[in-house]
Each structure stands twice: as C-alpha cells, then as structure tokens.
Amino acid sequence: MSTTTRWLDDEEQQAWRAWVDLNAQLSARLNRELQAVSGLSLSDYEILVALTDPDVPDRALRMYELGERLQWEKSRVSKQVSRMEARGLVERRHCPDDRRGAFVDLTDAGQAAIAAAAPGHVALVRELFFEGLSAEQVRSLGRFAATVLDRLAD
C-alpha cells in the first residue's frame, strides 16, 4: 500500500484557497450585515430557515433533526437554541415519546423575525454572490456544488 501523498498542484491549491477564503469572507459579511440590520446572527437565521421550511410540519423539529439539517454538533444546536429561546424566537418542548428528546418550536416572534430579515438577506446574497455572474456561471456553480455534495453523501 502506497503512502505517497498526492499534493494539490498549483491550480488546485489556488482554487482551494480561493474557496476557503470565499466561504470565510462571505459568511462573515453575511453575519455582520444580518446582525446590523435585523439583530439576528447567521446561526439564528439558519435555524429560523430550517423551521420555516415548507417540509417542516407545524414549524417544529426535533433537536437532533435540526442538527442533522444544519450539520451541527449536538452541543452547538443546544447552545444556539438556548440563546434563541432566551430572546423568544423559539421554544424548546419535551418530546412525549422520548424523555430525552426535545422539539424546537418556532414562535410567532421567530416567524416575524425571519419575515422581517429575509428580504434584506436575500438582497445581500444577490448583491455579494450572484451579481456579476452569468447564467452559465450560476448553472456551473450549481453543478459544482451538486457534484461535491454527492461525494460528501457517500
């Protein structure tokens, strides 16, 4: 069995570093702008989006389901939900079928918060991410993301 490392070539290294930098800078900018305009963090927003997904019945998810959707560790979900619960955006409800389990319910205040934040957030995503890209670049980006996501699912 060979233990030779296949290092990234110059083009791959440049593309990888650009992706890492893009992800970090875009997330930081979206978080700053979202907080400045709406008082929501990007983490708050991600949870609110998950709870308002049309596939989510009754605006509620089990804690573990929320973690799976967001790809977050259990402790991160719990801490974030606690912060949001203190602000009235969500409520934690015990699961009647599983004494250790809990649901996260979207409150009316949480619904109002995402409804108020979403238009500005979408406008910022469009401005920072999509403006200046051609339709073909957007399609290529979608294909690229789908390819990588498929590999991650294996």
Side-chain angles (χ1 to χ4, degrees):
M1 181 171 166
S2 174
T3 59
T4 304
T5 301
R6 280 188 58 216
W7 297 104
L8 300 179
D9 65 30
D10 290 343
E11 190 172 22
E12 291 168 331
Q13 180 68 20
Q14 184 178 3
W16 175 247
R17 290 302 318 156
W19 169 253
V20 169
D21 291 346
L22 168 70
N23 189 39
Q25 289 183 38
L26 185 61
S27 293
R29 177 77 175 273
L30 290 172
N31 189 55
R32 279 193 309 272
E33 297 285 335
L34 190 59
Q35 280 196 307
V37 172
S38 70
L40 296 174
S41 69
L42 195 53
S43 294
D44 293 335
Y45 193 83
E46 289 175 359
I47 287 179
L48 295 175
V49 166
L51 292 172
T52 57
D53 187 298
D55 295 338
V56 174
D58 303 321
R59 304 183 326 180
L61 285 170
R62 295 279 302 266
M63 291 281 282
Y64 80 87
E65 291 173 317
L66 192 54
E68 285 177 357
R69 280 178 182 249
L70 300 176
Q71 295 292 296
W72 290 3
E73 296 293 326
K74 188 172 149 180
S75 63
R76 181 177 180 193
V77 174
S78 181
K79 289 176 184 173
Q80 185 64 37
V81 166
S82 291
R83 286 190 288 268
M84 294 174 71
E85 193 172 24
R87 293 175 20 233
L89 300 172
V90 297
E91 290 177 345
R92 201 179 308 228
R93 175 173 46 94
H94 292 289
C95 178
D97 301 332
D98 179 0
R99 290 180 2 149
R100 295 178 299 154
F103 284 95
V104 179
D105 295 326
L106 181 68
T107 64
D108 290 342
Q111 179 67 50
I114 194 167
H121 180 69
V122 169
L124 185 62
V125 167
R126 180 172 299 288
E127 174 191 336
L128 297 177
F129 196 78
F130 288 106
E131 282 184 10
L133 296 180
S134 68
E136 179 52 37
Q137 286 174 311
V138 172
R139 284 189 295 276
S140 292
L141 179 63
R143 288 190 302 269
F144 158 76
T147 299
V148 174
L149 287 169
D150 285 346
R151 290 184 61 136
L152 291 172
D154 290 341

